[in-house]
């Protein structure tokens, strides 16, 4: 669902503003947030892709460790809305293929190590975890970045809150609370 939300937002920009203007808007830095839609989508995609590819035993990935902070920043999909859509589409295709495979590692949780930087120095801290937990973390992390995308869309891109789905960038627990379920 999160990958669909990202793709849906890109399609909304393109359909509403056209190819040329949407490319500029995707890169436009919001003075309130200090970043662009592209930066937030690229960053959250880095985390989601790492979790999905590591859990799914994707080729050329160390399948026992998640190093969230050792990644390439400023990739092509940060400034190129079409590259971002292709990256989302490719990862969505991988997830769909894995979901159809009953023996997929995405379905079974297994122990792994996650590494994070908790300060400004390059020291990584190790945490024992599972692939299932890291997949959930990457989606939860992406929700918060989509909340930032919503702020950028409304504050800098001229969109209205009603232009986006009501649950866009909102934690599932907040949606459930607002609906009276919890």
């Amino acid at each position: 669902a999160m990958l669909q939300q990202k793709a849906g937002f890109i399609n909304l920009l393109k359909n509403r503003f056209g190819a040329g203007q949407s490319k500029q808007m995707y890169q436009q830095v919001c003075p309130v947030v200090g970043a662009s839609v592209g930066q937030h989508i690229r960053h959250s995609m880095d985390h989601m892709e790492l979790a999905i590819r590591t859990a799914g035993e994707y080729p050329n990935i160390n399948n026992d460790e998640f190093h969230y902070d050792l990644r390439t920043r400023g990739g092509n999909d940060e400034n190129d809305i079409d590259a971002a859509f292709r990256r989302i589409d490719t990862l969505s295709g991988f997830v769909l293929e894995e979901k159809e495979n009953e023996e997929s590692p995405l379905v079974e949780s297994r122990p792994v190590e996650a590494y994070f930087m908790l300060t400004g120095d390059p020291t990584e801290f190790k945490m024992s975890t599972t692939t299932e937990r890291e997949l959930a973390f990457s989606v939860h992390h992406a929700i918060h970045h989509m909340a930032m995308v919503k702020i950028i869309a409304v504050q800098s891109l001229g969109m209205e809150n009603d232009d986006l789905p009501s649950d866009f960038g909102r934690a599932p627990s907040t949606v459930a609370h607002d609906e009276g379920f919890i």
Side-chain angles (χ1 to χ4, degrees):
M2 177 51 60
L3 293 170
Q4 291 171 335
Q5 190 174 93
K6 290 172 185 290
F9 183 80
I10 288 172
N11 283 330
L12 175 65
L13 277 181
K14 287 180 168 185
N15 292 336
R16 166 94 34 98
F17 300 102
Q21 188 175 357
S22 65
K23 286 180 182 195
Q24 292 174 346
M25 294 170 85
Y26 185 78
Q27 299 176 41
Q28 182 177 326
V29 174
C30 171
V32 174
V33 175
S36 68
V37 167
Q39 287 171 312
H40 282 282
I41 288 181
R42 189 269 313 149
H43 172 79
S44 60
M45 282 298 295
D46 288 350
H47 286 246
M48 290 183 73
E49 186 171 51
L50 177 64
I52 290 167
R53 289 183 177 205
T54 302
E57 297 183 0
Y58 203 82
N60 302 318
I61 297 284
N62 179 340
N63 297 114
D64 297 318
E65 298 178 350
F66 291 78
H67 291 270
Y68 285 108
D69 298 312
L70 302 180
R71 57 194 154 73
T72 303
R73 289 162 170 32
N76 209 17
D77 57 319
E78 183 171 304
N79 294 308
D80 183 339
I81 195 170
D82 296 321
F85 189 85
R86 286 190 301 274
R87 183 179 185 191
I88 293 163
D89 190 53
T90 298
L91 196 58
S92 294
F94 177 72
V95 169
L96 288 174
E97 284 177 23
E98 289 295 304
K99 282 174 66 176
E100 291 176 8
N101 176 2
E102 291 179 12
E103 297 176 15
S104 168
L106 280 179
V107 176
E108 285 191 32
S109 186
R110 61 185 169 76
V112 292
E113 304 293 334
Y115 294 83
F116 297 91
M117 291 180 191
L118 299 175
T119 64
D121 71 36
T123 303
E124 288 184 292
F125 293 87
K126 180 173 81 169
M127 178 178 79
S128 295
T129 184
T130 65
T131 53
E132 184 177 51
R133 190 258 175 225
E134 295 310 306
L135 288 166
F137 164 76
S138 73
V139 172
H140 194 262
H141 179 81
I143 290 168
H144 294 287
H145 281 280
M146 295 310 282
M148 299 303 286
V149 166
K150 184 175 186 175
I151 292 168
I152 296 167
V154 172
Q155 295 295 318
S156 291
L157 304 183
M159 297 176 79
E160 300 291 329
N161 279 326
D162 292 341
D163 292 334
L164 300 167
S166 61
D167 64 345
F168 189 93
R170 298 179 69 222
S173 61
T174 303
V175 173
H177 176 269
D178 291 350
E179 297 292 326
F181 295 120
I182 57 173

